[in-house]
Amino acid sequence: PQAPSMLPEALSASAYRSLLACPYQFYAQYMLGVKAPHSLEEGVEKRDFGSWLHQILFEFHTQAQQSAPENRAALLLQISENYFAPILQASPQALGFSVRWRNVLDAYIAWDAEHRVQGWEFSEGEIERQVTLPLVHGNLRLHGRIDRIDRHPEHGVAVLDYKANALSKLNKKIQDREDIQLAFYALLSQAQAAEFVALEPERAKIGGASLHEVAQA
């Protein structure tokens, strides 16, 4: 009977995903506040790798705005090496992730060049956004941290989300409507386009998995 008074005032994309996946899980975690205890983990994991790539690419695109196109590959390599240097010194087991990222650099630069030829330009990244929705029993605030926002002179705003996955896997996720993250972030950014950027090469190439009918989604 007390559940209505325990409704959260704000939701993240992960909280909304939890609600869709299992309402009881959502009730326990986001209404009752039941959390699994944090355990100490040794070494580095894929989520650490993803976090590192976000920071590297944010720094790269911020600096690349003042860099000539022919210097972008060297700039990305330098930023990557500088970023991984202290990580490798502290955690040598991160070497595999470092090599894995090194093997993506050329493919990323090629994708970035094609993306810019299409007219898209990096606008901002690693930014907090929120929007308030009026509901019957009060307002609900949606919030999240967006990896990247691009702009196009004709097509408006696009929200991009980096994923350390292959393009085929991300396209399937969109086709199967498994994930609400892109639609959620598009709403936060009032974006006309949204896509996952695959950071796992297939046939030495990476690409973007676009969400179709963004407004409807």
Side-chain angles (χ1 to χ4, degrees):
Q2 299 181 26
S5 65
M6 301 165 66
L7 288 172
E9 297 179 353
L11 288 182
S12 65
S14 58
Y16 183 54
R17 188 184 298 115
S18 172
L19 176 61
L20 294 180
C22 175
Y24 187 77
Q25 177 192 85
F26 176 88
Y27 169 71
Q29 185 170 351
Y30 295 96
M31 296 173 69
L32 295 182
V34 177
K35 306 287 186 181
H38 290 286
S39 59
L40 294 176
E41 298 174 349
E42 296 183 358
V44 294
E45 299 182 339
K46 187 175 181 180
R47 63 181 177 183
D48 299 311
F49 180 54
S51 177
W52 300 336
L53 299 192
H54 282 68
Q55 296 303 317
I56 289 171
L57 291 174
F58 173 66
E59 185 174 347
F60 165 68
H61 285 288
T62 301
Q63 294 188 29
Q65 292 176 308
Q66 286 78 42
S67 178
E70 62 270 18
N71 297 331
R72 294 171 81 94
L75 176 63
L76 180 56
L77 175 60
Q78 178 186 2
I79 291 173
S80 300
E81 290 182 341
N82 291 344
Y83 192 89
F84 268 105
I87 294 174
L88 293 173
Q89 187 172 8
S91 303
Q93 62 268 40
L95 179 61
F97 287 118
S98 175
V99 172
R100 178 177 172 181
W101 174 237
R102 176 73 71 90
N103 293 334
V104 180
L105 297 186
D106 290 343
Y108 186 84
I109 290 296
W111 170 83
D112 177 62
E114 181 180 351
H115 188 66
R116 287 183 292 109
V117 166
Q118 294 172 0
W120 293 101
E121 290 292 340
F122 173 83
S123 176
E124 51 193 330
E126 299 300 319
I127 184 170
E128 299 283 347
R129 285 290 175 87
Q130 63 181 26
V131 63
T132 300
L133 302 180
L135 302 180
V136 175
H137 299 292
N139 294 332
L140 175 66
R141 180 169 54 87
L142 306 182
H143 64 96
R145 186 176 184 85
I146 296 172
D147 294 352
R148 171 174 168 180
I149 294 176
D150 283 9
R151 297 184 184 275
H152 191 284
E154 297 178 3
H155 304 306
V157 176
V159 58
L160 279 65
D161 193 80
Y162 299 122
K163 294 293 184 186
N165 296 116
L167 180 60
S168 58
K169 181 177 180 180
L170 297 176
N171 274 323
K172 186 177 186 303
K173 177 180 290 190
I174 290 176
Q175 291 170 4
D176 294 346
R177 301 180 182 271
E178 292 179 7
D179 200 292
I180 51 82
Q181 188 175 21
L182 283 182
F184 193 96
Y185 288 164
L187 178 61
L188 295 185
S189 307
Q190 299 300 300
Q192 291 74 48
E195 68 176 36
F196 290 127
V197 180
L199 298 179
E200 184 71 36
E202 288 181 309
R203 300 183 182 89
K205 293 183 178 181
I206 66 170
S210 299
L211 177 66
H212 305 295
E213 301 178 342
V214 173
Q216 181 180 355

